[in-house]
Amino acid sequence: AQSVAQPEDQVNVAEGNPLTVKCTYSVSGNPYLFWYVQYPNRGLQFLLKYITGDNLVKGSYGFEAEFNKSQTSFHLKKPSALVSDSALYFCALFNDYKLSFGAGTTVTVRA
Amino acid sequence: GAVVSQHPSWVICKSGTSVKIECRSLDFQATTMFWYRQFPKQSLMLMATSNEGSKATYEQGVEKDKFLINHASLTLSTLTVTSAHPEDSSFYICSALPYMNNEQFFGPGTRLTVL
């Protein structure tokens, strides 16, 4: 069975500081991993994905994620957070033509 | 880029009525569409998978007679919440999967409030 875990419900950082949102996964076979961001009362916006290739994936709005097979992790990172990055972030695993979502992490960036 | 729309964005209805939500892929054909439900500050829960021209596949615990899904064309899927009750109030999000693709494109969501 496949699963995705986001161990932190909330992440709080000061503007300008590095931001990390954690994600671990479990799947048999090769993982297809995604990160999405959701603003209040809005749908999901795609940030980045890992299918194959380089372990460091660069995405939208300055975000990147590092795929670590040995640790079964796919943490989302941004070197310098902005107040506008405050939102709900979801990690997702694509397998058997379905997406399984993590519980979500609320990111709050304070000015 | 691939765009998915949903209509309506917001709907308020009385208990016992039925509500139809449309999901359209605007610039691509989607062989598969998905319907999710999201409660406040929670994750997306897959309700059903809809393939064009065939019956939807519902996830465990989702009442297929209450949540009717129709995928009549490669660009349109509809979700009808029948005899809606206040506990059906939620945020409903659809997504569309292009043929032979591994990335789903999400609609903006529909906020349903049942009074």
Side-chain angles (χ1 to χ4, degrees):
Chain A
Q2 62 185 49
S3 66
V4 179
Q6 292 179 242
E8 300 164 317
D9 292 336
Q10 289 197 351
V11 170
N12 300 307
V13 297
E15 188 173 35
N17 282 2
L19 169 64
T20 298
V21 187
K22 296 180 180 178
C23 172
T24 59
Y25 67 90
S26 174
V27 68
S28 57
N30 294 321
Y32 292 171
L33 296 160
F34 295 78
W35 274 103
Y36 293 90
V37 61
Q38 184 181 33
Y39 295 95
N41 294 311
R42 301 286 295 276
L44 271 65
Q45 295 181 30
F46 169 81
L47 284 178
L48 51 79
K49 66 180 177 182
Y50 172 83
I51 304 298
T52 186
D54 290 340
N55 290 340
L56 185 62
V57 179
K58 293 189 181 296
S60 307
Y61 313 117
F63 283 94
E64 58 187 29
E66 185 169 8
F67 173 70
N68 188 316
K69 188 172 183 178
S70 63
Q71 297 184 6
T72 61
S73 67
F74 189 55
H75 300 332
L76 181 70
K77 299 180 181 182
K78 186 170 184 178
S80 178
L82 301 172
V83 173
S84 57
D85 293 328
S86 298
L88 182 57
Y89 290 79
F90 290 105
C91 182
L93 174 67
F94 183 80
N95 183 256
D96 194 22
Y97 294 98
K98 295 181 183 179
L99 272 176
S100 298
F101 287 88
T105 299
T106 299
V107 171
T108 302
V109 182
R110 60 186 185 276
Chain B
V3 179
V4 176
S5 69
Q6 280 184 242
H7 178 81
S9 300
W10 296 79
V11 57
I12 301 173
C13 68
K14 293 182 179 180
S15 185
T17 62
S18 294
V19 175
K20 180 185 285 188
I21 303 170
E22 292 186 349
C23 176
R24 293 182 184 271
S25 57
L26 298 184
D27 50 4
F28 66 97
Q29 293 184 329
T31 52
T32 305
M33 287 185 171
F34 302 85
W35 286 96
Y36 297 86
R37 183 173 181 177
Q38 185 182 29
F39 290 104
K41 297 186 178 181
Q42 292 189 25
S43 188
L44 279 71
M45 300 301 297
L46 180 64
M47 298 175 67
T49 302
S50 164
N51 290 298
E52 187 266 338
S54 62
K55 290 184 178 180
T57 302
Y58 290 82
E59 296 298 301
Q60 193 172 7
V62 178
E63 298 176 58
K64 62 181 181 180
D65 294 330
K66 181 166 186 62
F67 298 100
L68 300 179
I69 292 172
N70 184 279
H71 194 160
S73 77
L74 287 172
T75 59
L76 173 65
S77 176
T78 60
L79 168 68
T80 301
V81 183
T82 62
S83 187
H85 290 282
E87 57 266 28
D88 298 324
S89 298
S90 189
F91 195 51
Y92 293 88
I93 301 175
C94 75
S95 71
L97 183 67
Y99 180 67
M100 293 295 287
N101 199 310
N102 52 34
E103 181 177 345
Q104 294 182 25
F105 297 94
F106 286 84
T110 297
R111 172 72 60 193
L112 170 63
T113 301
V114 185
L115 302 176

